[in-house]
Amino acid sequence: MKYSVLPILILFVLAMTQPVQSQTPTYQNPDAAIEDRVEDLLNRMTVYEKIGQMTQLNITTINPTGKQADVELVEEKARDLIGNHHIGSFLNGEAVPPEQWFRFTNQLTRLAMEESRLGIPIIYGIDHVHGANYLEGGTIFPHNINLGATFNPQHSYNTGWVTAYETADLGHHWNFAPILDIGVNPLWPRIYETFGEDPRLAARMGESYINGYQRNEEIEPYNVAATAKHFLGYSDPKSGWDRSPAYIPKQAIHEFHRPSFQAAVDAGIKTVMLNSGEINGIPVHGSYELVTELLRDEMGFDGVVVTDWADIEKLVDFHFISENFKEATFRSVMAGIDMSMTPLTLEFNEAMQALVDEGRITEDRIDESVRRILRLKFELGLFEHPYPSNERLNRIGTTESKVKALEAARESIVLLRNKNGVLPVLNPTRILVAGPSADSKRNLAGGWTLAWQGANEERYPDDMMTILDALRAEYPDADIEHVTKTPSQQQIDAADLIVYAGGEEPYTEFVGNISDLTLPQNQLDEISRLSESATPLVLVLVQGRPRLITSVEEKTDAILHAGLPGFQGANAIAEIISGAVNPSGKLPISYPESPSHFTPYNHKPSANYDFDEEDANQISQVSQPTSLYPFGHGLSYTTFTYSDLRLSKSFIGENGSLSASVAVTNAGNRAGMESVLWFITDHVGTITRPVEELAHFEKIALEPGETKRVQFEIQPSEQLSYPDRNGQPILEEGYFTVKVGELTKEFRLEKNKDD
């Protein structure tokens, strides 16, 4: 049979002249621009696949027991949720060995990459809020309130860096830290998760954490995302209880609560988690004004906004602003959320699909959120490196990382009181150690450690010391006796020192709600009993918030505010008691004096007046009306003196700058570290100004007799302006006072004057 070759030749020529079609989709091409990859993938997805990317489910939906601690995967459950419902993110777990985390995330990733239609990787979220606290063998740093007390941003940077170093390989791509709320209400049970009450301190510490975590080059080829939480005003509930309403004027939101989050946005934070409560009657999860107009439009955040735990549902049964879950979903999505931490059901998926079917939520609106979520996954390199690795598990819990945690703990302990220089104790022969935290590991680390509320004592590492253990190691030749019952007078009189370790047991979130800030009465009674002897009494406060000690403060000889110093905390406490370490921590909060009235240090003047006893018609200003110990208080075993405060000129122009400097001298006989805190007071403002505000801080080390001149530049737009109720800066002419130590100098802002 004969065939003409002409048609074959024509087909061959046509085939050769047609452009070659790539077999690799653009979204799978690592050389393509991220935006092109995002759009290509977005165009290939169904609406329900997109909704799945907006959903985050808890580990309990894919493990055998439905318990948080069970880091084991049931593939049938995960296969259904990923394959049929296209879930794009999971979260949570508890501390298990790294090999177990590797198996779990490896299996989960394989299902997403190999058995789903488009092979979109999972992003896994976890609360490593003070080191790798959900990883056995991980390095546990002090909590944020302690890091704030160091006034040394390097320790916050180290916390972020080590956390990424130890967990990135395990598939923990997304960490729900740092906490950037400001700790202005001492009753609030999450105050220990904050860096303290000052916005500038929180901003510096948060920025440092983000840089350490997100810019750790040692974790390559992996990348990780930090989360700024909880946007915003969460830490200032009127009642002091977690997730209860806050009433904050708009101007105060901009001046006090926004700056730490703005610093995070400016530092390149990739995700933001919302406040679970409400502000001025509007739950944040339903506030277009806060989520879209403020966070996105004004502050410039273009990353992923995630809800907190089940907070869309709370619009129905907690805040009562939505009739049902579908209406709550509509309000939250239209307010601007991108991902729902649902976290236990598919109710969000079902509600979203119904809203799309009804035409109330458009695919374009869904695309806005999914575009951000996919961009995050591409930026983290999850499409190229989706699988975890078990080849660098020796990075976890290294000596170098533990030393970083120990250094942070050492600088975080605050010596509040040291009557007659009772500390340090150099050569004791007998020490009594008492109190609920004396022989407790879990108390030192607090909540969010191994488990949500802290784990049982037996789960803590064998090589972690309690305060009792650390004192015995620090004083090997002394008799260190642990007393669990009130000791006899003979026991007390025979001792050189009594160390009472009091405070709180672990808690977090609403579980830590209390109605009385006073230290528990049984502890106050024990402290009073122990103080009746001539034996020096040292009170060590291991606590997440400043429990009131006013009734026993004068009965003690020394007080250490240990906060929650983490796994190396006992070592640091013992070293400070012995004098091996010179304390350098300063309070990042105002320590309250009474249970019924407290204000942060930078309060408005209206809270800063008291009636003069001699003339009730005169009002005299007092500096700290509600603090037992003020913000920035902290003693040392040496003496630092401040002298020769200088300003480069007596005025400053609107676009100029002014140099302030002071000489700081170690006038004692041992080396020490001093946090130099600069404050500025605006004498007159259109809006009532704070009594004083932290303008700058710097920590320095000084040898005995050494002097250093410390300097900072005052910039009008940075230190002298303040926002109005719309967030617009106000810069007004007038007099200002700069204060460092006990030294002050005045200068004047003259807007039209040429520097």
Side-chain angles (χ1 to χ4, degrees), residues 79-247:
R79 184 176 287 112
D80 173 58
L81 291 171
I82 294 170
N84 297 326
H85 301 284
H86 320 292
I87 303 303
S89 182
F90 292 89
L91 80 154
N92 256 333
E94 285 190 7
V96 297
E99 297 86 354
Q100 187 173 342
W101 267 120
F102 168 77
R103 289 194 302 270
F104 175 83
T105 55
N106 190 55
Q107 285 178 279
L108 185 63
T109 301
R110 182 180 56 78
L111 291 175
M113 298 304 296
E114 299 176 17
E115 297 190 28
S116 66
R117 186 176 77 88
L118 294 169
I120 302 175
I122 293 293
I123 184 168
Y124 201 89
I126 198 159
D127 288 285
H128 287 311
V129 300
H130 65 129
N133 48 258
Y134 281 169
L135 173 64
E136 279 190 16
T139 303
I140 306 299
F141 279 78
H143 270 289
N144 282 358
I145 198 69
N146 284 67
L147 297 182
T150 71
F151 282 88
N152 186 348
Q154 184 64 47
H155 294 306
S156 189
Y157 178 94
N158 289 346
T159 305
W161 194 95
V162 171
T163 302
Y165 187 71
E166 294 188 348
T167 63
D169 283 20
L170 297 176
H172 296 176
H173 322 109
W174 187 5
N175 189 20
F176 301 136
I179 294 88
L180 298 178
D181 308 293
I182 56 172
V184 291
N185 191 328
L187 273 169
W188 190 53
R190 305 190 71 168
I191 196 169
Y192 67 85
E193 298 180 54
T194 78
F195 292 110
E197 69 184 33
D198 181 77
R200 190 176 300 274
L201 177 60
R204 282 279 304 281
M205 290 293 183
E207 178 185 31
S208 295
Y209 182 97
I210 294 162
N211 288 333
Y213 186 75
Q214 290 190 170
R215 294 175 175 80
N216 184 339
E217 296 180 355
E218 294 297 318
I219 66 174
E220 292 180 353
Y222 300 110
N223 293 290
V224 288
T227 307
K229 68 182 192 185
H230 310 80
F231 186 82
L232 95 169
Y234 180 41
S235 59
D236 196 13
K238 188 171 184 178
S239 72
W241 284 18
D242 185 43
R243 287 176 168 85
S244 58
Y247 298 93

Side-chain angles (χ1 to χ4, degrees), residues 702-722:
L702 293 172
E703 294 296 321
E706 183 181 6
T707 297
K708 286 185 180 178
R709 179 158 286 277
V710 181
Q711 177 177 316
F712 91 103
E713 293 292 315
I714 299 174
Q715 307 283 348
S717 61
E718 178 69 15
Q719 284 93 10
L720 307 183
S721 70
Y722 60 91

Side-chain angles (χ1 to χ4, degrees), residues 363-671:
E363 189 169 0
D364 285 345
R365 169 62 193 93
I366 292 173
D367 285 352
E368 289 178 15
S369 289
V370 179
R371 186 175 285 114
R372 296 183 189 112
I373 294 165
L374 295 179
R375 184 185 300 119
L376 174 63
K377 292 185 176 185
F378 280 116
E379 287 176 349
L380 296 184
L382 296 183
F383 284 82
E384 283 67 61
H385 304 286
Y387 292 98
S389 170
N390 61 354
E391 296 180 358
R392 301 188 293 197
L393 300 184
N394 60 343
R395 291 181 163 198
I396 298 168
T398 66
T399 299
E400 293 79 8
S401 294
K402 290 180 179 179
V403 167
K404 287 182 170 67
L406 176 58
E407 290 171 345
R410 286 168 172 164
E411 290 189 37
S412 76
I413 308 298
V414 184
L415 179 59
L416 297 178
R417 175 179 170 86
N418 195 19
K419 183 180 178 182
N420 298 324
V422 66
L423 292 180
V425 177
L426 300 181
N427 296 300
T429 58
R430 182 175 175 80
I431 298 177
L432 295 184
V433 186
S437 296
D439 198 27
S440 171
K441 295 178 180 181
R442 64 193 304 267
N443 286 15
L444 290 164
W448 300 110
T449 308
L450 307 182
W452 178 43
Q453 296 293 325
N456 295 329
E457 189 76 14
E458 59 270 14
R459 289 184 61 185
Y460 288 77
D462 292 338
D463 62 354
M464 178 187 177
M465 290 191 178
T466 66
I467 294 174
L468 179 66
D469 298 329
L471 286 170
R472 285 172 173 164
E474 195 68 17
Y475 297 110
D477 298 326
D479 179 10
I480 313 294
E481 182 181 355
H482 182 210
V483 290
T484 56
K485 297 180 180 179
T486 302
S488 67
Q489 194 63 46
Q490 184 178 4
Q491 284 178 293
I492 295 173
D493 292 339
D496 300 310
L497 184 74
I498 303 169
V499 175
Y500 187 88
E504 301 181 306
E505 293 190 351
Y507 57 84
T508 190
E509 302 190 68
F510 52 88
V511 178
N513 286 342
I514 56 175
S515 299
D516 187 351
L517 197 58
T518 306
L519 195 68
Q521 189 61 48
N522 66 313
Q523 295 188 44
L524 296 175
D525 292 342
E526 290 171 0
I527 294 167
S528 294
R529 170 75 177 89
L530 293 171
S531 72
E532 293 173 358
S533 161
T535 303
L537 172 62
V538 176
L539 173 60
V540 180
L541 294 167
V542 180
Q543 55 189 13
R545 56 195 153 196
R547 301 302 293 264
L548 296 181
I549 56 170
T550 309
S551 65
V552 297
E553 188 247 358
E554 289 289 340
K555 299 178 181 180
T556 66
D557 295 282
I559 302 174
L560 289 176
H561 184 268
L564 298 174
F567 280 10
Q568 308 302 317
N571 309 57
I573 292 166
E575 289 173 336
I576 287 173
I577 290 174
S578 75
V581 168
N582 191 352
S584 64
K586 291 182 182 287
L587 286 175
I589 52 172
S590 303
Y591 205 108
E593 184 176 27
S594 67
S596 54
H597 186 202
F598 43 80
T599 57
Y601 85 96
N602 54 351
H603 52 267
K604 301 286 189 175
S606 58
N608 195 42
Y609 287 94
D610 195 7
F611 287 107
D612 187 84
E613 292 182 1
E614 296 181 1
D615 188 349
N617 296 317
Q618 294 181 349
I619 296 178
S620 60
Q621 220 171 353
V622 291
S623 60
Q624 295 293 339
T626 65
S627 294
L628 183 64
Y629 297 106
F631 174 89
H633 173 76
L635 304 176
S636 171
Y637 295 153
T638 190
T639 301
F640 296 101
T641 62
Y642 290 71
S643 62
D644 193 22
L645 173 58
R646 301 176 190 171
L647 301 182
S648 59
K649 49 198 169 188
S650 60
F651 70 91
I652 185 173
E654 180 176 7
N655 299 312
S657 64
L658 184 154
S659 294
S661 68
V662 69
V664 183
T665 301
N666 182 347
N669 57 9
R670 64 172 295 169

Side-chain angles (χ1 to χ4, degrees), residues 23 34-35 66 106 122-123 165 226 254 270 276 325 348 435 499 638 678 682 754:
Q23 298 302 307
I34 285 180
E35 292 305 319
N106 190 55
I122 293 293
I123 184 168
Y165 187 71
H254 289 292
K270 292 186 179 296
S276 294
F325 189 87
F348 176 77
V499 175
T638 190
W678 296 84
D682 185 351
D754 187 1

Side-chain angles (χ1 to χ4, degrees), residues 14 26 34 60 126 265 319 334 358 409 423 470 594 596 719:
L14 287 173
T26 300
I34 285 180
T60 55
I126 198 159
V265 172
H319 300 289
M334 299 312 292
E358 295 169 9
L423 292 180
S594 67
S596 54
Q719 284 93 10

